[in-house]
Amino acid sequence: MTFAAAVNGIGNGMYIPFTLVFFHSVTGLSFPVVGAVLTVTGLIGMGALPLAGAAVDRFGARPVQYVLYAARAVGFLLYPAAHALPAFAAVVMVTAAADRAFPAVQSALIGEVARGADRDRLQAALRALTNGGLGAGSLLATLVIGVAGSGAYTYAAWGNALSFAVAALALRPLRPIRTVATAAGAVPGARRGAGYRLVAADRPFLIVTSANFLNALSYSALSVLFPLFVVQWLRAPAALTGTAFTVNTVLCGVVGMWVAARVRGSGARRTRSAALGGTLFATAFAGLAVFAAVRPTVTWAIGAVLVALVVLYTLGELIHSPSAEVLAVSAAPEAVRGRYMATYQLSWSLAKALAPSLFTGLLAVDGRVPWLFLIGTSLVAAALLLRVERRLPVESVVVARSAEPAREVVRAA
């Protein structure tokens, strides 16, 4: 699974940093058309999440993952031939739906193949390898484009299709861990009767999902708000944005697993470590709000402070991400984990959809406003996680070496 994540990251890295240019080059369509199609299909693609969640509960996560890999592989094979708008829209619709569903299915797969602290280790490893793969894929695409010119985007598309096929093959050795409930046959009955009504009635899980939506806005800030803030508000060189992304990617890939191991070794509950990550987000945003008020003009000083704040932000990300994701996976009942993960993934998708218009609107008011807004959302998310801790299953909150089923709830420490 870790090898699959690395290969998948390389494939994504070959086109994500160049998305608009990539699709413009391989299809021949104009930039506005490509952008409009990507936006519309991305929103529509969110509709695949409930279907993917139900499919996971019926067939298991690995078979659904195979389907998603196959859909994206076929899509990238067809992109170079999709020169007409209807053909491009049809292909991107399928790949967008698969892209939106993929994280939810991967989270469900983590829940199937690992238990206890192994889930935390696996989640941290997947995130580190994915970030490393993104960087490697981006570098590879840059080198290919530099040698072969714009025609290399076609090779990148085919290379991405190949990466999805290889990643799918890498999943073959995985075997789900059978629990007492599964062996006793309780899972199929629960699947037939529950559906998404069970998710809607699980208020503690919905609180966790709501907190993640608020934190997902923080994740979107680096890719959406930060570049606009640097260029439009600080009037600084755009190259500083690339430096910030590089620092974030390198740290996630190099020290991500080490930070996650330190968090696990401290014995911190997943709710509290996720809340700590959100608090670090708020601290970094507070520094950016102050920076927005000062608005220095010396380029090297701007760069130094921004890098320092990005390092702090990245530390929050490395602490928050593994704990928050495994918290959601472990809080979901096994019988309907697919539906739970699909619901949880909606928080990410909604944040990504809202972030561009939200951040541009806030930045238009004042350069400090979006950072003040994000301080508030980060702190509210942390408070929600701490508040809901007692109402979650103990195995979802406490990082335990043993993953035996437990039904008690967490009491005050």
Side-chain angles (χ1 to χ4, degrees):
M1 189 171 179
T2 52
F3 177 74
V7 175
N8 180 71
I10 291 173
N12 287 332
M14 293 177 69
Y15 84 96
I16 286 179
F18 319 98
T19 300
L20 288 176
V21 177
F22 176 90
F23 288 120
H24 166 73
S25 297
V26 299
T27 64
L29 297 171
S30 68
F31 285 112
V33 170
V34 171
V37 171
L38 291 177
T39 298
V40 173
T41 55
L43 292 173
I44 296 175
M46 290 169 56
L49 275 168
L51 298 177
V56 167
D57 293 334
R58 182 175 180 82
F59 303 108
R62 190 176 65 164
V64 178
Q65 200 78 307
Y66 284 146
V67 173
L68 299 182
Y69 275 131
R72 293 192 291 176
V74 172
F76 278 89
L77 282 175
L78 295 177
Y79 274 129
H83 299 294
L85 177 58
F88 174 63
V91 176
V92 78
M93 177 70 73
V94 174
T95 53
D99 281 338
R100 294 299 184 275
F102 181 85
V105 178
Q106 179 167 273
S107 294
L109 186 58
I110 292 173
E112 288 185 4
V113 302
R115 293 287 185 270
D118 288 339
R119 287 179 177 171
D120 300 80
R121 296 187 187 95
L122 182 56
Q123 174 64 35
L126 291 177
R127 183 165 184 82
L129 290 170
T130 298
N131 276 280
L134 286 170
S138 177
L139 178 60
L140 178 61
T142 301
L143 293 175
V144 172
I145 293 167
V147 173
S150 59
Y153 287 109
T154 296
Y155 302 132
W158 292 340
N160 202 18
L162 177 62
S163 74
F164 290 135
V166 172
L169 291 174
L171 294 180
R172 292 187 63 186
L174 288 178
R175 294 293 182 271
I177 298 175
R178 292 176 60 84
T179 64
V180 175
T182 302
V187 174
R191 285 174 181 162
R192 288 194 297 269
Y196 282 99
R197 288 176 297 177
L198 181 61
V199 185
D202 192 339
R203 292 190 63 185
F205 186 83
L206 294 181
I207 292 174
V208 170
T209 302
S210 299
N212 190 69
F213 168 74
L214 298 176
N215 279 316
L217 291 173
S218 299
Y219 282 84
S220 295
L222 186 63
S223 59
V224 178
L225 174 59
F226 190 82
L228 294 175
F229 173 73
V230 170
V231 175
Q232 294 186 4
W233 184 257
L234 296 180
R235 307 294 183 185
L240 292 178
T241 299
T243 302
F245 281 119
T246 301
V247 169
N248 176 262
T249 302
V250 170
L251 287 177
C252 287
V254 174
V255 302
M257 293 182 64
W258 180 83
V259 171
R262 297 286 292 181
V263 172
R264 289 195 307 273
S266 70
R269 296 181 177 186
R270 293 186 182 112
T271 44
R272 299 180 188 184
S273 53
L276 174 60
T279 303
L280 291 175
F281 282 153
T283 305
F285 296 148
L288 287 164
V290 173
F291 207 50
V294 176
R295 300 181 77 173
T297 57
V298 181
T299 301
W300 70 264
I302 295 175
V305 174
L306 288 179
V307 167
L309 292 174
V310 167
V311 169
L312 179 60
Y313 167 92
T314 304
L315 179 60
E317 178 181 342
L318 296 178
I319 293 174
H320 171 271
S321 178
S323 298
E325 293 300 302
V326 178
L327 174 67
V329 172
S330 301
E334 183 175 348
V336 285
R337 184 182 291 127
R339 291 174 171 88
Y340 267 69
M341 291 301 95
T343 303
Y344 185 77
Q345 183 58 31
L346 279 174
S347 64
W348 287 106
S349 298
L350 287 174
K352 290 179 181 178
L354 292 174
S357 58
L358 174 64
F359 291 150
T360 52
L362 293 175
L363 188 63
V365 177
D366 188 276
R368 292 161 289 191
V369 172
W371 304 118
L372 294 174
F373 172 80
L374 286 170
I375 292 170
T377 56
S378 300
L379 294 178
V380 169
L384 287 174
L385 288 169
L386 296 177
R387 180 84 176 185
V388 79
E389 181 180 282
R390 298 185 183 187
R391 301 171 60 189
L392 293 169
V394 64
E395 67 271 17
S396 69
V397 174
V398 177
V399 182
R401 293 182 179 181
S402 175
E404 295 183 4
R407 297 193 179 277
E408 61 178 312
V409 295
V410 178
R411 301 301 178 188

